[in-house]
Amino acid sequence: MDGRRAVEQRAPDSAEPQSRSRSRSRSRPRPGSRSQASAPPPEGRRDAYTRVSVRALPPLLIVAGVLYDLLTPQYFTAAPFLSAAPLVAAPFLSLGVTVWTGVAATAAMVLVTVRFAVDASGITEIATVATVACLAVVINRLVSSNNARLASAHAIAEAAQRAVLPEPAARIGGLDLAARYVAAQTDALIGGDLYAVQDTPHGVRLIVGDVRGKGMGAVAGVAVAIGAFREAAEQEATLEGVAQRLERALMREGVRRSTVEVFEGFITAVLAEIPRDGHGVRLVNRGHPGPLLLHGDGSVRTLAAAEPALPLGMGDLAAWPDRAQEEEFPRGAMLLFHTDGLSEARDEQGVFFDPARQLSGRVFTGPQDLLTDLVAEVERYTGGGAADDMALLAVRRP
């Protein structure tokens, strides 16, 4: 009897789609904006398709292998199909499903082999499928162990994120607030963007900023900036004084740290002070994107810095007195503070997202509604592929 010829088959790859949250827009889309029909399929539906495909693939491979062996000449073999089945099940399905897939694939290999006189080639093919099935069980255990460690690391990162960057209350000092942090990488919670809100004797003071760099060095910068801001916001009589306290705190931290890799040393930030009386807001901008002022009639205006300034922590390069600029903030209007992850988000053609243009002509019921719609709009615009973290803070004067 002729020996069967082994044919190698690579197991198909499978990619987990990126997590993308769905949000329902309560406002009317701006004319000329992207339609819902052009948006990516809902994430829940895509997840369901993926799960069904992964679960169906191992049995389909076994059936395909049996049919291939039955419908082809004797020297063709089903071993590649049957070996692939448990390998596909191993990283995506449970241990029990992986074991039963391996048993079914080995049994199928035995059945198609005994149709002919069993020789050394047939025994080798049975042993190959059985060995691959055992290897698939080992892979399943390794993947499960890694997933458990990743879940533990994710829980720790989430706890650290909440400790370093807690979400502000929905109402502070008579103002309505909402904050959102959107990480560029799936399941990545800790980054260099920051926000903080403090109710002080001088009014509600807040900061939104972006630490240079990534990783633990950026997290260290976030912790230093927020700690210094909360102390200075209570003690300093002016917003300019708060900025100078932050400057000194970052300079001290830069001296204390031994390497640049541990602490990057500067932060772009915008600080705001909203007095309890009056209809204005004071701003100190240190190299950060200006906030947007959204009026109740749908008009939008960017509150750009009156004078360009270096980021916080770069006082050794140049020094000048901070001057707070006064802007209107009438009742019923909202302020949107954001990091450059919003204004530098790009579509598939590389065109930047323009928040002022996208929000113009739209009316929102409150800060939470604004951020929910804005995050959904950015996800549709980028296709879920944002390259930078995005921190958003919306404030409304009722």
Side-chain angles (χ1 to χ4, degrees), residues 24 96 111 180 217 300:
R24 184 181 64 182
L111 291 177
R180 191 73 60 87
V300 179

Side-chain angles (χ1 to χ4, degrees), residues 1 5 12 98 192 286:
M1 178 181 298
R5 183 176 61 188
T98 302
R286 285 296 202 95

Side-chain angles (χ1 to χ4, degrees), residues 207-393:
I207 181 175
V208 174
D210 187 358
V211 180
R212 176 178 179 258
K214 300 290 183 182
M216 295 309 298
V219 176
V222 170
V224 171
I226 291 181
F229 168 77
R230 294 200 181 280
E231 180 182 5
E234 290 285 345
Q235 298 177 357
E236 294 293 335
T238 65
L239 194 62
E240 294 90 338
V242 176
Q244 290 302 315
R245 283 278 290 271
L246 284 168
E247 180 76 41
R248 293 192 296 270
L250 293 174
M251 294 293 291
R252 287 195 304 269
E253 189 68 13
V255 172
R256 188 176 71 84
R257 300 281 180 169
S258 58
T259 62
V260 175
E261 290 75 17
V262 176
F263 183 68
E264 296 288 354
F266 70 84
I267 301 173
T268 66
V270 58
L271 294 94
E273 179 183 280
I274 306 173
R276 290 182 176 82
D277 54 348
H279 303 282
V281 58
R282 301 187 187 99
L283 300 171
V284 170
N285 195 319
R286 285 296 202 95
H288 198 78
L292 301 178
L293 178 63
L294 288 75
H295 290 277
D297 61 359
S299 60
V300 179
R301 184 167 68 92
T302 301
L303 305 183
E307 298 180 8
L310 290 176
L312 295 168
M314 300 185 69
D316 55 341
L317 299 182
W320 61 87
D322 287 299
R323 294 185 180 88
Q325 64 186 75
E326 300 273 351
E327 297 285 355
E328 64 170 344
F329 185 24
R331 295 190 180 277
M334 281 192 287
L335 283 170
L336 174 63
F337 299 85
H338 62 89
T339 57
D340 57 7
L342 175 66
S343 55
E344 294 183 2
R346 304 187 187 194
D347 63 7
E348 58 271 14
Q349 282 80 38
V351 179
F352 288 114
F353 183 84
D354 185 348
R357 186 176 66 86
Q358 295 290 340
L359 296 175
S360 180
R362 301 169 66 177
V363 178
F364 302 90
T365 59
Q368 196 66 248
D369 181 37
L370 167 62
L371 297 191
T372 298
D373 285 6
L374 185 58
V375 170
E377 182 72 18
V378 173
E379 288 178 349
R380 287 192 294 267
Y381 190 84
T382 63
D388 196 6
D389 295 349
M390 179 172 62
L392 305 170
L393 179 63

